[in-house]
Amino acid sequence: MTILWHLILLNDVLSISKSTLMQNHTELNAKNVAFNIKKIREHKNYTQIYLAKRLAISQNAYSKIELGYSKITINRLFAIAQI
């Protein structure tokens, strides 16, 4: 293989690695937000049921937010912050 071909392959590998890193970084940030939501709730001595009722969602849906299983919208994040 020529040097040019190696550079093209290397560039493809680096591009994949960059996108994977960005995705992992985004997922990590989402997990951090979920973790912080839980810690603040616990600090305020609120139950998941209480917050779920205030947000008009089920306790199961709220639990998924804290576990990072469901994606949280900015509007939902603001609603949680205002409680």
Side-chain angles (χ1 to χ4, degrees), residues 1-75:
M1 288 189 197
T2 66
I3 292 176
L4 179 59
W5 182 250
H6 284 287
L7 290 174
I8 291 170
L9 287 175
L10 180 60
N11 186 48
D12 288 343
V13 169
L14 291 175
S15 296
I16 292 169
S17 296
K18 288 178 192 174
S19 66
T20 302
L21 286 174
M22 288 301 293
Q23 182 179 4
N24 289 344
H25 180 70
T26 301
E27 290 172 6
L28 182 60
N29 283 342
K31 293 285 185 185
N32 286 341
V33 169
F35 179 79
N36 288 337
I37 288 171
K38 180 179 179 178
K39 288 300 167 193
I40 292 168
R41 175 185 61 79
E42 291 172 341
H43 178 75
K44 292 182 174 184
N45 292 318
Y46 292 160
T47 64
Q48 286 185 347
I49 293 170
Y50 173 75
L51 265 86
K53 285 182 182 180
R54 294 284 309 269
L55 296 168
I57 61 175
S58 70
Q59 181 274 329
N60 188 40
Y62 182 81
S63 176
K64 288 179 181 178
I65 291 171
E66 284 191 358
L67 293 171
Y69 294 160
S70 65
K71 293 185 179 180
I72 187 168
T73 64
I74 295 295
N75 290 338

